[in-house]
Amino acid sequence: MWIIQTLAGLAILSAATGIFFAFIFLSIKGNKALANKMLSLLLITFSIRIAEIAFFWTKYIWDFPHLLDVSTSMPLLFGVFIYFYVKYSQSEEEKLNYRFFIHLIPFIIYLIYLAPTYLQSANLKLAELRNITSKTPVYGIDFYTFRILKLIHMVIYAVLAMSLVNNFSGKNLNEQKKNELRWQRYLVIGFIVFIIITGLQTFGIAISGYKYIIELDSALMITCAFMIYGSIYFTVKNPDIFISSLRRLPLLKYKKSLLNEEKASEYLNAIIKYMQEEKPYLNPELKLSDLSKQISIQTHHISQIINKKFGCSFSDFINRYRVNDAKELLINPEYDKFTILSICYEVGFKNKASFNSAFKKFTKLTPSEYKNNSFKFKTNQ
């Protein structure tokens, strides 16, 4: 029993952490604000759910009987918030669409149905607690029916959310968008795990005479905690996923730009062709003004195109080419005798520190790790 008590304590801590970070996400403004609101609401609902389970197994709920079933309607919100979080993240919408409220109708209907239960006296709720914890609990058919309906509801939204993720993954994405998509996939997978455990719990309750199963409730608490701390982990590791609104601010200056799409496309092709054929990035002193003179395109147009089309700065744009060249040289047998520092200078970096930093940013590996992994792969072939 000490294990469940420990898990319950950690669950309460997770719930408090989830609510704290929910308010942080709510405070973030910009083009991710609406998506962050969906994530905030998801964290709050998961926190409420995990807290009620923890209160049940720690028996605190006997002291606060009005907390009984406070989260029973939350499963009708989980899927909605996850789906719209993914949707608004990808579209970067800034205003809440009326369609969102249509998706809340099942939750509202169920909430109205539960209203009499929520308004019951503390004595009646304590009686219900005694029924739940007795050896032979008694439930009406509506208990089982609503659990099945909530499961179906969650499955539908899990499929919809995963479809959005899969459709978006087929596009040509920059590194920031890839990280964002990876996080969204993990979030939906975590939700699917939650659904599976809830389904097993429903089945277990049915065959055990409607008795709650400690192991499955523990698994639910762990899954909810995973969703909460997963959000925190990805926030720390990839802050751009949640605060990319800050990156959008420099782009506001392009609103009045006279550069149309046709001309921008022409310039983009010219930039890419020049980078591939002339390799100006091999010059460690290359500046935006230098590139502008070489291809006869104004600096602010180059900057605008790189920011909008690649979602990065001029420095990152140049360093990506350098890193790609370095990757080829690191696995080229003809360069086996070259040191990593030599390759660093060969591809246009000024020093090893900036080379390592850029290389790890784009590959998640250091140059040495990349070379060793490539060598191991060739050896195993």
Side-chain angles (χ1 to χ4, degrees):
M1 183 58 69
W2 67 270
I3 295 178
I4 190 66
Q5 294 290 333
T6 302
L7 283 174
L10 291 173
I12 293 172
L13 177 62
S14 299
T17 305
I19 291 173
F20 174 75
F21 269 83
F23 283 102
I24 290 178
F25 289 133
L26 280 173
S27 68
I28 299 173
K29 307 297 181 182
N31 62 321
K32 289 292 182 184
L34 192 53
N36 286 333
K37 285 179 182 177
M38 295 297 110
L39 184 60
S40 298
L41 293 170
L42 178 66
L43 287 177
I44 290 170
T45 51
F46 266 117
S47 297
I48 293 172
R49 180 63 182 144
I50 195 176
E52 185 185 346
I53 297 173
F55 281 139
F56 180 84
W57 289 110
T58 54
K59 300 188 185 304
Y60 283 125
I61 200 162
W62 290 89
D63 298 321
F64 306 98
H66 286 294
L67 293 177
L68 181 65
D69 289 336
V70 73
S71 69
T72 191
S73 59
M74 296 301 167
L76 293 174
L77 293 176
F78 296 155
V80 175
F81 292 150
I82 287 178
Y83 170 72
F84 276 96
Y85 168 67
V86 175
K87 185 176 184 296
Y88 288 144
S89 289
Q90 294 178 359
S91 64
E92 296 189 354
E93 294 182 37
E94 297 181 2
K95 293 183 179 180
L96 201 61
N97 194 296
Y98 74 92
R99 292 187 183 89
F100 168 74
F101 298 99
I102 294 175
H103 289 260
L104 297 180
I105 290 175
F107 168 74
I108 294 169
I109 292 173
Y110 189 46
L111 207 59
I112 293 171
Y113 171 81
L114 291 174
T117 303
Y118 290 141
L119 296 174
Q120 286 179 344
S121 66
N123 288 333
L124 285 175
K125 290 181 180 179
L126 287 171
E128 179 62 19
L129 272 172
R130 285 190 287 271
N131 173 51
I132 294 172
T133 55
S134 67
K135 292 182 179 180
T136 56
V138 178
Y139 288 95
I141 191 67
D142 58 334
F143 173 83
Y144 192 72
T145 302
F146 280 119
R147 287 188 74 94
I148 295 294
L149 290 175
K150 284 184 280 187
L151 270 173
I152 294 172
H153 185 275
M154 287 191 289
V155 168
I156 290 171
Y157 279 94
V159 171
L160 290 173
M162 187 58 81
S163 296
L164 283 179
V165 172
N166 290 336
N167 290 339
F168 203 64
S169 61
K171 299 180 180 179
N172 186 23
L173 306 174
N174 58 38
E175 195 64 29
Q176 178 186 330
K177 285 294 183 183
K178 286 180 181 177
N179 287 333
E180 185 173 351
L181 197 67
R182 193 176 298 117
W183 151 241
Q184 291 170 4
R185 192 182 300 278
Y186 288 153
L187 182 65
V188 177
I189 290 172
F191 182 47
I192 291 171
V193 172
F194 178 87
I195 294 170
I196 292 171
I197 296 171
T198 304
L200 291 173
Q201 187 190 51
T202 301
F203 179 74
I205 290 172
I207 64 174
S208 65
Y210 293 111
K211 291 180 182 177
Y212 280 91
I213 300 169
I214 292 178
E215 290 77 10
L216 290 174
D217 263 359
S218 299
L220 278 179
M221 286 191 288
I222 292 170
T223 306
C224 288
F226 165 81
M227 306 282 271
I228 292 167
Y229 285 111
S231 302
I232 298 169
Y233 171 77
F234 275 92
T235 305
V236 174
K237 189 174 181 182
N238 302 290
D240 283 349
I241 291 175
F242 307 96
I243 59 174
S244 61
S245 53
L246 298 180
R247 287 184 172 271
R248 192 182 183 189
L249 295 178
L251 300 182
L252 293 176
K253 63 185 178 183
Y254 301 134
K255 281 188 174 183
K256 296 181 180 179
S257 174
L258 298 178
L259 185 63
N260 58 42
E261 284 298 321
E262 184 179 350
K263 202 66 177 176
S265 180
E266 179 187 328
Y267 286 168
L268 174 64
N269 293 333
I271 292 169
I272 293 174
K273 183 180 179 181
Y274 188 78
M275 294 294 290
Q276 293 174 343
E277 294 180 357
E278 302 300 327
K279 300 183 183 293
Y281 53 85
L282 296 180
N283 174 11
E285 303 295 334
L286 181 69
K287 298 182 179 66
L288 178 58
S289 56
D290 298 328
L291 183 61
S292 173
K293 292 176 183 177
Q294 292 164 10
I295 59 178
S296 300
I297 298 175
Q298 295 180 24
T299 55
H300 63 277
H301 283 161
I302 297 176
S303 179
Q304 178 180 347
I305 290 167
I306 290 174
N307 273 283
K308 284 192 171 183
K309 299 297 182 181
F310 299 99
C312 65
S313 64
F314 176 74
S315 176
D316 280 347
F317 176 71
I318 296 300
N319 283 342
R320 187 184 291 275
Y321 277 94
R322 290 169 175 163
V323 168
N324 286 338
D325 272 15
K327 286 163 64 178
E328 292 181 9
L329 297 182
L330 286 168
I331 61 175
N332 189 334
E334 295 181 9
Y335 281 79
D336 282 346
K337 294 181 180 180
F338 282 68
T339 64
I340 289 177
L341 183 60
S342 298
I343 292 175
C344 156
Y345 294 138
E346 183 79 11
V347 298
F349 283 98
K350 289 184 178 180
N351 54 67
K352 192 174 181 180
S354 59
F355 174 51
N356 286 338
S357 176
F359 199 96
K360 193 162 187 178
K361 180 175 184 177
F362 296 120
T363 68
K364 306 301 180 186
L365 297 170
T366 65
S368 300
E369 290 170 342
Y370 181 84
K371 186 173 184 177
N372 291 336
N373 287 352
S374 300
F375 176 76
K376 290 178 183 177
F377 178 74
K378 289 181 180 177
T379 305
N380 293 332
Q381 282 186 321

